[in-house]
Amino acid sequence: MKVLDPDGNTVLLGQREPSASQPPAADDGATVRFSLLREAAALVSARGGIGHQCQVRDRQGRPCPNRAEVKLADSMGDRAWVCLVHADEILVTVPEAFIACEDGQGIAAFLSRP
Ligand SMILES: [Zn+2]
């Protein structure tokens, strides 16, 4: 989870241990530092991955050559599959961005109410 403190600073919150229902991360090991992004990437990978590259381009318009591992979204509704390097950069520099989760129904259940 990401929140802003009263001064507008981004604060990332997470749990140190994965939930019992989460599959283990592919690179789960004692020497691997815990990372929410790695956990999110492991969930995507456990579902078969997405099989294409990061959707971020550099300032010259060249596509990032890294494999996309997580999906990010922002409060404006934009979404992108990105590599972990760009996910980290975006989450730190874009206050409105968050890791998009494909579990559950999101707000669709509320929007579909009669
Ligand atoms: Zn990338």
Side-chain angles (χ1 to χ4, degrees):
M1 176 169 70
K2 184 169 74 173
V3 297
L4 295 178
D5 73 9
D7 296 325
N9 300 306
T10 301
V11 179
L12 298 174
L13 304 171
Q15 62 187 54
R16 288 189 165 274
E17 301 297 327
S19 302
S21 61
Q22 288 180 304
D27 58 357
D28 199 12
T31 60
V32 176
R33 200 179 99 227
F34 179 78
S35 165
L36 289 174
L37 288 173
R38 281 198 196 101
E39 289 294 316
L43 289 172
V44 171
S45 179
R47 294 182 184 128
I50 59 162
H52 60 79
Q53 69 188 61
C54 177
Q55 295 179 296
V56 174
R57 295 180 173 273
D58 67 15
R59 295 187 193 282
Q60 287 74 42
R62 296 177 299 234
C64 172
N66 297 331
R67 182 171 52 94
E69 297 191 67
V70 295
K71 185 178 186 180
L72 298 185
D74 67 24
S75 57
M76 299 299 290
D78 287 324
R79 302 175 301 272
W81 283 97
V82 299
C83 68
L84 294 185
V85 173
H86 280 120
D88 189 52
E89 180 182 1
I90 290 169
L91 289 172
V92 170
T93 60
V94 180
E96 303 83 12
F98 54 89
I99 300 171
C101 177
E102 296 185 339
D103 290 342
Q105 299 178 357
I107 61 172
F110 293 90
L111 298 176
S112 64
R113 288 178 179 168

